[in-house]
């Protein structure tokens, strides 16, 4: 199983980014729960947003109303649309897929700075 994130980068406060996570080596991707986590320097990894196999979503309070998670099972891809970005959103963002076992991507850096 391989998860590959893309879409990170440097953005000014108030800007937007869209992260993508492409999965390979998973036969039944639609059955997996998926999510995005982030880890800032000196902090623990935290859940940003998740979307279940049934499409139910959960968001961290800090991103509600600004971020949106979605998935395309045919493309085996999970997305995270991030709007109104703040400096405190700066972190390495990791994709997760789970179905009894957790799988992680390598992470993509998001930096929000003027």
């Amino acid at each position: 199983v391989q998860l590959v994130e893309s879409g990170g980068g440097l953005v000014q406060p108030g800007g937007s980014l869209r992260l993508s996570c492409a999965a390979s080596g998973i036969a039944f991707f639609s059955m997996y729960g998926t999510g995005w986590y982030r880890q800032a320097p000196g902090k623990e990894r935290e859940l940003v947003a998740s979307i279940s196999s049934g499409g139910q979503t959960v968001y961290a309070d800090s991103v509600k109303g600004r971020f949106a998670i979605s998935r395309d099972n045919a493309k085996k891809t999970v997305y995270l649309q991030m709007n109104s970005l703040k400096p405190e959103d700066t972190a390495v963002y990791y994709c997760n897929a789970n179905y009894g076992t957790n799988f992680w991507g390598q992470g993509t850096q998001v930096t929000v700075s003027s």
Side-chain angles (χ1 to χ4, degrees):
V1 175
Q2 188 175 19
L3 302 175
V4 179
E5 300 102 332
S6 61
L10 173 64
V11 63
Q12 292 187 342
S16 298
L17 283 175
R18 188 193 194 205
L19 304 183
S20 299
C21 171
S24 60
I26 296 179
F28 300 103
F29 179 77
S30 62
M31 297 179 67
Y32 281 68
T34 57
W36 289 93
Y37 289 71
R38 67 187 180 188
Q39 187 166 18
K43 295 187 176 181
E44 294 186 354
R45 190 173 297 189
E46 63 175 0
L47 174 69
V48 176
S50 66
I51 182 166
S52 71
S53 57
Q56 295 174 315
T57 57
V58 174
Y59 294 93
D61 287 343
S62 60
V63 307
K64 282 181 180 177
R66 300 189 297 123
F67 290 12
I69 189 171
S70 61
R71 63 191 293 169
D72 185 333
N73 290 329
K75 295 182 178 180
K76 298 184 180 181
T77 301
V78 185
Y79 304 97
L80 184 67
Q81 178 66 45
M82 305 186 294
N83 300 324
S84 302
L85 282 160
K86 305 175 180 180
E88 50 263 44
D89 294 318
T90 296
V92 177
Y93 284 69
Y94 297 91
C95 178
N96 171 270
N98 66 86
Y99 186 69
T101 300
N102 270 310
F103 299 99
W104 295 93
Q106 82 289 349
T108 184
Q109 177 70 46
V110 171
T111 302
V112 184
S113 175
S114 55

